Amino acid sequence: MFSRNLFKSFFTAALTAGLLSSCALFERDANGEPSHSWIDGKNYYSYGDKDATLATVAYSQGDFKTAEEHISRALTNNPRHPQALMVGALVYEELGRPNRSRQYYEDLMIVGGDETTILGSMDGKPHKMSEIAAQRLRLLNMNQTKMIIEDQNGNKVFNISEEASAAQGKSALEEALFIREQARAANNKAVSEADVKAVEVLFTPEEQNTISRFLILKELAENDMVTKEEFLNGRMANVGGLLPLTNTPPAAGVINPVPSPDLILERIKALKEAVASRAITPREFSAERDLIIEAILPPHPRQRLKKKAPSTNILDAAKDIRKLEVIYDLNLITSKEKAKEQKAIEKYLGIAPAPSKTAKAAAPAGAPKSMNPAPLAPTVPEVTTEVSIAVEEAPANTPQPLIPAVTSPFENIEIK
């Protein structure tokens, strides 16, 4: 009887000790930190506090490798620790691992709650972690989409291949031609899709890329994305791409593929939104916008194309004049520029102008005759050849401002 009671006493003592020891295990983690589990009624967010703090210190000192190790331990203990997620996202940005950084920002937007911090803040002031995560995520996505890259010569070019450029729904030239043909249809002129295609095949792919760049810059000006001066600087430095015989050749990159105007407009609008939400600074916005303008039509080209040789036969000259008419209809050149280029095309047809007749001065009476008179050149019948090229005349009311919604940028330009 006594032994049975003694056994019960020992069993009760052992059970109590086991419960106490298990409570101690719940209250302490592997690093000896207090564990606020469900037993004491507190949430579990403080798991990993020590490693998150050490990671923050290492990050502030630029020791990203050590910070990564502490972040790994903190998130192993608590995958939803806000500070560890924030520091981790910033560390992986620095280490060039944007996908992991993006994952942490997305998690932080969910679990951040009302936690505030200055880590990752754009203005150095405390903000909600979820808001900072959203801003930096937007900036991270924008930086990963590299629209502008440098070629081997250091020129800024669009990061787009020939195939991708051709696969985009409508190029700037196609859209402009469609609008042009619509306007003609409104004037009771029969227009078909074949007419648009006929104009497209008139230009080579390189010429289409060049014209598209002028149309894109013009559209940016119409949407107040670039200033009048920026438009003029880019246009006048590269107008030789439209008028090759009367202007300096354009930048070497204008014949390269170019994205559609919609894509470029979306990019600049996204940059504006990023500035408004403080995801980027106004200086960063201005820097990328300037890169876009330089990639479209560089105002100060480093390298230029070779000067185009003039056409020396009637068929090629007629084709050049037809191209000139289309470019004029698209409001990319002025009437004076068009007339000057057309005159140059006709000049280089390879037909020499008729020699002008000069009256010989009569020798005064009594003047001595030359002892060795010069032999007379054989008489050749004079042949005058006239070439007329049929050019479709534009209606009198066709010329429009080159930037319709903006003051005409050519009002003070004198074409020499």
Side-chain angles (χ1 to χ4, degrees):
M1 188 72 178
F2 174 77
S3 61
R4 181 179 296 178
N5 291 334
L6 183 62
F7 174 77
K8 286 183 178 180
S9 299
F10 277 117
F11 179 78
T12 304
L15 182 60
T16 303
L19 287 172
L20 290 174
S21 63
S22 64
C23 288
L25 286 175
F26 276 111
E27 292 175 356
R28 298 283 175 177
D29 63 7
N31 297 319
E33 295 183 75
S35 171
H36 303 294
S37 65
W38 57 270
I39 294 177
D40 55 12
K42 297 180 180 179
N43 63 50
Y44 74 104
Y45 272 14
S46 58
Y47 273 113
D49 275 352
K50 182 178 179 180
D51 278 307
T53 301
L54 292 174
T56 305
V57 174
Y59 169 75
S60 65
Q61 295 173 346
D63 187 358
F64 303 129
K65 191 66 178 175
T66 301
E68 183 183 14
E69 293 173 358
H70 287 299
I71 290 162
S72 179
R73 283 199 291 268
L75 293 177
T76 298
N77 289 329
N78 179 9
R80 302 176 66 187
H81 196 289
Q83 185 178 353
L85 288 171
M86 176 60 77
V87 178
L90 295 172
V91 166
Y92 286 121
E93 273 194 57
E94 297 291 341
L95 293 177
R97 297 171 63 182
N99 291 335
R100 179 63 65 87
S101 184
R102 179 184 293 105
Q103 175 190 341
Y104 285 179
Y105 283 137
E106 290 173 349
D107 292 344
L108 196 55
M109 290 169 63
I110 298 173
V111 304
D114 293 330
E115 293 276 347
T116 60
T117 185
I118 63 171
L119 290 173
S121 174
M122 302 296 177
D123 56 6
K125 298 179 181 178
H127 293 281
K128 289 184 179 181
M129 286 189 176
S130 56
E131 294 176 356
I132 295 176
Q135 291 176 355
R136 297 196 70 90
L137 181 61
R138 188 183 301 112
L139 179 60
L140 187 65
N141 291 336
M142 189 174 294
N143 288 339
Q144 272 200 293
T145 308
K146 287 197 175 293
M147 191 175 215
I148 309 297
I149 57 175
E150 285 190 1
D151 63 10
Q152 58 185 0
N153 298 316
N155 298 314
K156 304 296 186 299
V157 296
F158 286 103
N159 186 21
I160 184 171
S161 65
E162 293 278 357
E163 295 78 12
S165 177
Q168 288 182 3
K170 283 186 178 180
S171 69
L173 180 58
E174 287 174 339
E175 186 174 351
L177 289 172
F178 179 73
I179 294 173
R180 168 180 176 267
E181 298 304 326
Q182 274 189 328
R184 292 193 167 193
N187 294 329
N188 297 325
K189 291 187 178 181
V191 176
S192 65
E193 186 177 349
D195 295 329
V196 177
K197 293 299 179 184
V199 175
E200 286 179 15
V201 297
L202 185 66
F203 298 96
T204 65
E206 290 78 11
E207 289 172 336
Q208 291 187 26
N209 289 335
T210 302
I211 295 172
S212 295
R213 290 171 182 272
F214 283 87
L215 290 168
I216 289 171
L217 194 62
K218 177 172 173 284
E219 188 165 347
L220 290 178
E222 292 170 350
N223 287 275
D224 294 327
M225 299 294 183
V226 301
T227 64
K228 173 180 172 181
E229 289 73 18
E230 289 169 333
F231 174 82
L232 278 176
N233 290 339
R235 180 191 184 275
M236 299 310 292
N238 299 276
V239 73
L242 303 178
L243 308 166
L245 300 183
T246 55
N247 290 276
T248 306
V254 299
I255 60 175
N256 293 332
V258 60
S260 66
D262 294 339
L263 188 61
I264 296 176
L265 282 170
E266 277 182 18
R267 178 70 171 188
I268 297 181
K269 287 177 181 176
L271 289 170
K272 278 190 169 184
E273 292 175 0
V275 172
S277 63
R278 296 183 179 180
I280 61 175
T281 64
R283 181 175 295 180
E284 290 171 325
F285 164 77
S286 179
E288 182 162 351
R289 192 188 67 94
D290 291 346
L291 286 179
I292 292 174
I293 296 172
E294 184 178 352
I296 298 172
L297 290 173
H300 307 289
R302 295 185 179 184
Q303 295 178 321
R304 292 182 180 271
L305 295 173
K306 294 182 180 179
K307 192 163 183 70
K308 178 185 175 183
S311 299
T312 56
N313 64 74
I314 190 67
L315 294 179
D316 289 343
K319 188 175 181 180
D320 288 342
I321 292 181
R322 177 65 180 140
K323 291 178 182 178
L324 194 61
E325 287 292 333
V326 173
I327 294 172
Y328 177 70
D329 285 347
L330 295 177
N331 296 322
L332 295 179
I333 58 175
T334 65
S335 56
K336 289 183 179 180
E337 289 174 325
K338 172 177 171 288
K340 187 176 181 181
E341 183 76 9
Q342 183 170 336
K343 187 180 294 185
I345 293 172
E346 294 169 350
K347 174 183 176 182
Y348 290 108
L349 282 179
I351 301 171
S356 58
K357 296 179 181 180
T358 55
K360 293 183 179 180
K369 295 183 179 179
S370 173
M371 299 298 295
N372 299 313
L376 295 175
T379 304
V380 179
E382 181 181 329
V383 178
T384 303
T385 307
E386 294 183 0
V387 179
S388 61
I389 302 175
V391 177
E392 179 184 353
E393 294 294 334
N397 58 352
T398 297
Q400 302 172 4
L402 296 182
I403 307 182
V406 183
T407 304
S408 174
F410 299 102
E411 56 192 3
N412 298 320
I413 292 182
E414 180 181 357
I415 307 297
K416 297 182 180 180

